Amino acid sequence: MPASSDCDVVVIGGGIAGCVAARDAQDAGLSVVLLEAKDHLGGRTWFKELGIGNRSVEFGGTWIHEDYYVNIMRDAERYGLPIVKTEDADVVALVDADNGQIDLGFSVPPEQWQDFERAMFEILSAAKRVDPERPLSEQGLEDLDISWREWLTARNLPRETYNFVDGWTVLNFGADTDEVSALWIFAFIAACDNSAYALCLVHSKIGNGSMDYCEHLTKEVDVRLDAPVASVKQDADSITATTTDGATVTARAAILAAPVNTWGEISFEPKLSEVKRELSAKGHPGYGFKVWALVEKPEEGNLCILNPGADVIQYALTDYHEPEGDLIACFGKKREGFDLGDSKVIEDSLAEARPGIKVIETEHHDWCADPYAQGTWAVHPPGWLSGHQAEMRRQEGRLAFAGADVAIRMAGLIEGAAGSGVAAAADVVGFLGES
């Protein structure tokens, strides 16, 4: 039986939230042990070598906004992390699947510009009601916490305007639009100083990758990889995390920074609150995918494809240039019957927007099949945010919670993960200081 060890704080999960929480707790003078189930840090970010194109890329979360991702940018300055931008697109193609039409650039016809203005006004009016720094469940926003499809359909927009607005929002989803809360969109806009345009500008990234970021965060932390946690047991004086191989870490407090969809794999004593158990059992519906496709260089240059009604790829953009071709990041929703490792499937879907495009190779990581993720970035279904956001982050005894899934500001995103790590560390520092 592996030996036990003791510390002030045990952090469960080595994604960005867990790494930030561990760093902050350590900075506060507490001893910390971080347990990560995988053989690397990063959680649902993963910067690793690509088998095609001869470079390392992000297989999970990637892009940030330099103006509004305040926690990420503060750490980038602290550690000297380079921030680089994805090149602007030379061609933006918006596909109208219902009409078999491909529009380039701004596809709203002049006679619908007033409808577009009305849509933007209503989106910004909804966003102005949101305080992104407070739990959405404490703001009386239930009327906005309906599906994006329901909210947008109720605006009675002409088809071209609807498709354009939907296209620029669906790129943020990893699920069908009837599974995603409109309130998530409004909360994001509110966090960006009420700029809807900010949705289109999240295109910077950490130059050396998320792995480099996490390694800087945990440089002084006792990190234990390949250590999936099987149980968490707390009593009046301590809390003990036991890994699947029987190793135990006993601490004065713990921070759970694993994805919500994986909480059911851990036995908690006492049990988590009923709301947490129910939401974890249901799981957030994020089942998106990210596929890297090496394509023959398009004559028109960098591509940005929006195809919200597509069966496979809904959003794609050129991100790197290689001697062999261009690397395009492709996003969509995982469907039964599609083999995402089949280059022809990816090529056929891209060809809906750019006929004649040639895919050489593809590569991806299946986050939905990953036992330590069981889904992609958190997609908040209708009713989740306005009903339970405060409860999802509420500390239970000696156990605090972190992660993009339970973040208050910018939930589901890299910035939300970092911010929740800051908040969780502050929770346990305060708790231990009082106990």
Side-chain angles (χ1 to χ4, degrees):
M1 179 74 66
S4 299
S5 59
D6 298 298
C7 60
D8 291 318
V9 181
V10 57
V11 178
I12 302 166
I16 287 175
C19 291
V20 168
R23 185 272 313 273
D24 280 11
Q26 190 99 352
D27 284 354
L30 301 176
S31 57
V32 180
V33 171
L34 188 154
L35 301 175
E36 167 53 42
K38 298 182 180 183
D39 63 0
H40 61 272
L41 297 172
R44 285 168 288 181
T45 64
W46 191 12
F47 189 73
K48 75 182 189 78
E49 187 174 350
L50 188 66
I52 57 178
N54 192 34
R55 71 162 60 239
S56 292
V57 298
E58 298 282 5
F59 278 76
T62 303
W63 287 281
I64 63 176
H65 195 303
E66 293 178 58
D67 292 333
Y68 303 116
Y69 281 44
V70 293
N71 290 285
I72 299 294
M73 294 307 298
R74 182 173 59 242
D75 284 343
E77 182 176 358
R78 174 175 176 173
Y79 300 118
L81 305 177
I83 302 297
V84 299
K85 286 185 171 67
T86 295
E87 294 179 11
D88 291 336
D90 296 305
V91 174
V92 177
L94 178 64
V95 180
D96 180 351
D98 294 333
N99 198 40
Q101 178 179 335
I102 302 172
D103 294 306
L104 303 181
F106 185 65
S107 59
V108 177
E111 62 270 19
Q112 294 181 22
W113 287 356
Q114 282 189 307
D115 294 293
F116 178 73
E117 180 183 50
R118 173 170 58 87
M120 290 298 99
F121 175 81
E122 294 193 36
I123 288 171
L124 295 177
S125 295
K128 283 183 177 179
R129 293 176 52 192
V130 178
D131 179 352
E133 307 296 336
R134 292 173 50 217
L136 299 174
S137 52
E138 299 175 354
Q139 299 186 46
L141 300 170
E142 291 80 6
D143 61 309
L144 299 180
D145 201 0
I146 60 177
S147 78
W148 176 245
R149 180 178 297 171
E150 181 180 354
W151 189 90
L152 192 57
T153 299
R155 311 280 75 82
N156 296 314
L157 300 171
R159 180 172 53 79
E160 290 83 0
T161 301
Y162 182 102
N163 287 342
F164 185 82
V165 175
D166 194 38
W168 281 110
T169 51
V170 78
L171 63 89
N172 295 280
F173 301 159
D176 285 331
T177 54
D178 58 359
E179 298 175 290
V180 182
S181 172
L183 183 54
W184 183 90
I185 288 287
F186 303 140
F188 177 85
I189 293 171
C192 296
D193 293 336
N194 220 47
S195 169
Y197 187 47
L199 284 167
C200 311
L201 296 177
V202 184
H203 59 191
S204 296
K205 53 195 173 186
I206 299 170
N208 294 331
S210 55
M211 183 74 73
D212 183 54
Y213 177 33
C214 290
E215 288 175 351
H216 274 93
L217 289 167
T218 58
K219 187 175 181 180
E220 305 299 327
V221 176
D222 181 356
V223 174
R224 304 179 189 181
L225 302 175
D226 296 309
V229 170
S231 67
V232 176
K233 182 178 181 180
Q234 59 176 311
D235 56 31
D237 302 314
S238 64
I239 188 165
T240 299
T242 303
T243 63
T244 54
D245 67 358
T248 61
V249 177
T250 300
R252 298 166 61 206
I255 297 173
L256 179 62
V260 165
N261 285 8
T262 70
W263 289 1
E265 307 299 320
I266 302 173
S267 172
F268 293 93
E269 186 179 338
K271 293 181 179 180
L272 299 181
S273 72
E274 182 178 357
V275 168
K276 288 188 177 77
R277 295 200 310 272
E278 287 181 0
L279 292 178
S280 177
K282 181 180 179 181
H284 72 75
Y287 52 91
F289 65 78
K290 179 181 186 179
V291 171
W292 286 101
L294 181 66
V295 306
E296 293 182 3
K297 292 182 183 293
E299 293 182 1
E300 57 264 69
N302 296 336
L303 300 178
C304 176
I305 293 170
L306 295 168
N307 190 357
D311 286 332
V312 183
I313 296 173
Q314 296 178 299
Y315 174 57
L317 76 162
T318 304
D319 203 18
Y320 297 102
H321 304 289
E322 300 295 321
E324 306 91 338
D326 286 351
L327 279 169
I328 295 180
C330 307
F331 298 85
K333 298 167 293 187
K334 188 177 179 183
R335 305 282 194 185
E336 292 296 329
F338 290 135
D339 178 6
L340 295 177
D342 186 340
S343 297
K344 188 66 166 58
V345 170
I346 304 303
E347 181 177 275
D348 288 347
S349 188
L350 289 172
E352 293 177 17
R354 306 313 294 154
I357 195 168
K358 298 296 182 184
V359 173
I360 302 169
E361 293 181 83
T362 62
E363 192 172 336
H364 74 288
H365 178 72
D366 190 342
W367 293 101
C368 296
D370 186 324
Y372 304 122
Q374 298 185 29
T376 52
W377 62 93
V379 175
H380 297 84
W384 178 316
L385 294 169
S386 67
H388 309 296
Q389 193 180 39
E391 170 60 24
M392 290 301 290
R393 228 194 63 71
R394 182 182 62 82
Q395 185 168 329
E396 299 191 12
R398 294 180 177 273
L399 181 62
F401 297 83
D405 301 3
V406 303
I408 302 301
R409 181 179 178 274
M410 291 198 172
L413 304 173
I414 292 174
E415 172 64 12
S420 77
V422 171
D427 288 345
V428 298
V429 168
F431 171 78
L432 294 178
E434 295 172 359
S435 60

